[in-house]
Amino acid sequence: LAREHDGGAEGRPHAGAPNHAEHEAVTAGEGGGGAAKPAGPAPIEPVSGLLANADVAKGQDIAKKCLTCHTFGKGEPAKVGPNLYGIVGNKHGHMEGFAYSTAISSIDKPWGYEEINHFIDNPRAYAPGTKMTFPGLPKALDRADVIAYLRTLADTPVALPTQEEIDAANKAYEDAKAAAAAPPPSSSSAAPAASTTQEAAAPADDS
């Protein structure tokens, strides 16, 4: 879950397998015949289109693993991480008086559905420099269930995504997949162009 607890000690990590994505990104292609390294993290499947049918009860159950570091009830104090009541649609440093890290407080946009989705998929990729140790939820359906539960923690829950917002999230995902699948530009491809330019310029230098 969104466990931002940069105001103090890191606390006890949630149960889960270690995230080796950074190690794999560095080592991919080494000793493999010159295969290109990934350009960045894998695209994250959106949840906007899943929220209307998400399982709030299941999301609440998944979120229980975050009770070590967070509170969820209105007006409850922070623990190692901030209280999460009213987080959906709120600013990133939403809890007054909590010592957020710059990694979180400097993000100048609301906690929209897809922002929370990206954060709980991989907190350190979303906010480099966060001290959060939670490795993330790899399954989009689990993330949707948790976010649907977080949506209920409000005096007036934020409206569900419109079809336009769902389409935009899906398009961003498809664009990110296409960009990730595209071969990186070859450094050698620039050499012939430079050579051609030099040769074309040479006859003009008659002085």
Side-chain angles (χ1 to χ4, degrees), residues 59-86:
Q60 183 176 10
D61 188 60
I62 295 171
K64 287 179 180 177
K65 67 178 67 178
C66 301
L67 287 171
T68 299
C69 296
H70 290 287
T71 55
F72 293 89
K74 183 177 181 179
E76 291 181 343
K79 292 184 178 179
V80 179
N83 174 271
L84 297 179
Y85 187 89

Side-chain angles (χ1 to χ4, degrees), residues 24-60:
E24 291 172 356
V26 171
T27 58
E30 292 184 3
K37 298 178 182 179
I44 298 169
E45 185 176 352
V47 298
S48 293
L50 304 175
L51 293 173
N53 296 312
D55 189 331
V56 172
K58 183 180 177 183
Q60 183 176 10

Side-chain angles (χ1 to χ4, degrees), residues 80-158:
V80 179
N83 174 271
L84 297 179
Y85 187 89
I87 189 173
V88 177
N90 212 329
K91 62 183 180 180
H92 273 61
H94 73 285
M95 186 179 186
E96 295 299 327
F98 185 80
Y100 289 94
S101 69
T102 303
I104 291 295
S105 63
S106 64
I107 300 177
D108 189 21
K109 59 182 176 180
W111 277 120
Y113 291 119
E114 292 302 335
E115 283 74 24
I116 298 177
N117 177 45
H118 282 229
F119 184 66
I120 65 177
D121 173 85
N122 188 334
R124 294 188 177 188
Y126 179 84
T130 181
K131 296 176 183 176
M132 182 156 152
T133 57
F134 179 52
L137 297 172
K139 296 181 180 179
L141 287 175
D142 287 347
R143 298 196 301 273
D145 291 341
V146 168
I147 294 169
Y149 166 61
L150 291 177
R151 176 178 176 266
T152 69
L153 305 180
D155 295 340
T156 303
V158 175

